[in-house]
Amino acid sequence: MPVPVQMTAMEISAPGAPEVLRPVTRAVPLPTQGEVLIRVVYAGVNRPDALQRAGSYNPPAGASDLPGLECSGYIAALGPGVSEWAVGDPVCALLPGGGYAEYAVCPAAHVIRVPKWLDLKTAGCLPETCFTVWSNVVMRGGLKPGERFLVHGGSSGIGTTAIQIARALGARVFATAGSAEKCAAIEALGATAINYRLGDFVKVLQAEGGADLILDMVGGSYVARNIKALADDGRLVFIAFLEGAKAEINFAQVMMRRLTVTGSTLRPQSDAAKAAIARQLRDHVWPMLESGRLRVIHDSEFPLTEAARAHARMESSAHIGKIVLRVG
């Protein structure tokens, strides 16, 4: 598989609105020790990409300045010390950045093989979402069969994935959304939908005995309400703060009801931590995909050079499921 010297990529020309994304020609990156080079076919679009574009989520040291945290495609070259992959292998990968390009480098341990029964478009939507959901709902949140699980933003890529994984694990699932269409999509996945414009998720969960686990990406005014919605010994896991990262809560309730409040961001974690999550995905989540218990809910597809339109679609919050860029 010959590798060109240059490639097309989508660059953040300056912090700002979606229109600051522009096509550029760049040198194809070279894989270093323990890395692989991937010829990108599809790249997933995620909220952290928009935060980076707006100037509020800088890439970690040593990562590409290009947006894009997940992709699917084919191994194009191997860096020194990589023996578990071969050129031409179909893969998807969690990236430190750089997915909005025709080629991207990635630690070999963060790459997962795409089996014959999985298409590359679907595979390109999986890594960022599945790494985030599994590590926070299962590894950090400790979701168990029979527990009540609430996820906010239930119609998003994260939300639709969290609903399906939680159901596959035997949990009873509740999810919030802001329209009848989104609530219908949530119900179709087997969760109880709560339209936050018409009802109060706190009252719904309290009537059911409280949530054992809540996955929140809203923050702000939801923080104190999440505390009220939890059952005794419940866990609250934050993965984003779309409404703001600051809030006032009654910590006496945390103590008296033995609540756990935690959270994580994926991108700054160590390569070893991400490799451990990748192993769990191969062992536990890929079988869910093969059996049909988990599927990607596709919203829309855009060419790489129309990444600005993809970002505008995501930030409109009109989408249901994943948005993807077609690269190769």
Side-chain angles (χ1 to χ4, degrees), residues 47 182 197 309-319 323:
R47 289 281 180 179
K182 290 181 177 181
R197 300 185 192 278
R309 288 182 57 213
H311 276 223
R313 171 72 178 169
M314 181 173 60
E315 292 185 319
S316 75
S317 294
H319 64 293
I323 301 169

Side-chain angles (χ1 to χ4, degrees), residues 259-326:
L259 306 179
T260 299
V261 180
T262 184
S264 74
T265 54
L266 183 59
R267 198 174 191 184
Q269 294 189 42
S270 69
D271 286 351
K274 294 174 187 176
I277 301 170
R279 289 192 294 271
Q280 293 218 14
L281 295 186
R282 283 191 290 265
D283 292 341
H284 303 290
V285 176
W286 256 233
M288 294 180 187
L289 288 162
E290 185 173 15
S291 68
R293 291 174 293 166
L294 172 62
R295 60 189 177 90
V296 169
I297 307 301
H298 292 285
D299 177 82
S300 50
E301 175 184 320
F302 297 86
L304 174 64
T305 54
E306 295 183 16
R309 288 182 57 213
H311 276 223
R313 171 72 178 169
M314 181 173 60
E315 292 185 319
S316 75
S317 294
H319 64 293
I320 296 175
K322 289 286 291 190
I323 301 169
V324 68
L325 298 176
R326 184 178 67 255

